[in-house]
Amino acid sequence: MPRFRFRLEASLRLAEIALDQELRRLAQEVQKLKQLEYERNRCENTWLQAAAGQRTAGLTSPRDLGIWQKYAENCLKLLRLKEKEVQGQAQTVQKCREALAAAHREAEKFRRLKERQLKLFRLAEENREQKILDEAGQVLYWQKMTVQ
């Protein structure tokens, strides 16, 4: 009995490898996004503390107000920079998700094609076996008819 052989098995494997690579890349980019969000939140907290220190200095020690203003300004610049980095990384993550979806569609296409070809192969095998059984039945019938 012949075995089923999917001629595009190599393409299927390559598509699955590409899918796995895209999945790993997405995981790395999401991890990087989370790290950048954590850093941005830290910068935001620092800026909020600097703003609070600036208010306190304005009320209690006007001599230190200039230092607090400069510190708060630097913290705000850093916060805006981190926000831009987070936005850029979010776009990168979105592109990775789109690439992952495309790789998934490609792999799924080959899987479905393999399933369809396997079903057709099995159907052809069943038909071939049925023909053999029918021919054997006819031969037996004709042998009985000729003996009688």
Side-chain angles (χ1 to χ4, degrees), residues 2-4 116-126:
R3 286 182 4 148
F4 172 71
R116 267 190 245 127
Q117 287 184 1
L118 181 60
K119 285 179 185 177
L120 289 174
F121 174 78
R122 287 182 179 157
L123 183 62
E125 279 298 304
E126 287 174 9

Side-chain angles (χ1 to χ4, degrees), residues 58-121:
L59 295 174
T60 60
S61 59
R63 281 188 323 229
D64 298 335
L65 182 59
I67 295 170
W68 277 106
Q69 285 177 335
K70 200 63 157 164
Y71 179 63
E73 184 181 317
N74 288 337
C75 288
L76 184 60
K77 284 181 186 178
L78 186 60
L79 175 62
R80 288 182 180 155
L81 179 67
K82 291 294 181 183
E83 285 177 348
K84 285 182 183 179
E85 288 178 3
V86 167
Q87 288 174 353
Q89 187 62 26
Q91 290 174 352
T92 303
V93 166
Q94 185 60 31
K95 288 178 185 176
C96 285
R97 285 189 174 128
E98 291 168 2
L100 177 65
H104 186 335
R105 281 192 299 271
E106 186 74 14
E108 190 63 28
K109 175 179 71 173
F110 284 114
R111 282 188 208 115
R112 287 185 181 173
L113 181 61
K114 183 178 181 177
E115 287 175 14
R116 267 190 245 127
Q117 287 184 1
L118 181 60
K119 285 179 185 177
L120 289 174
F121 174 78

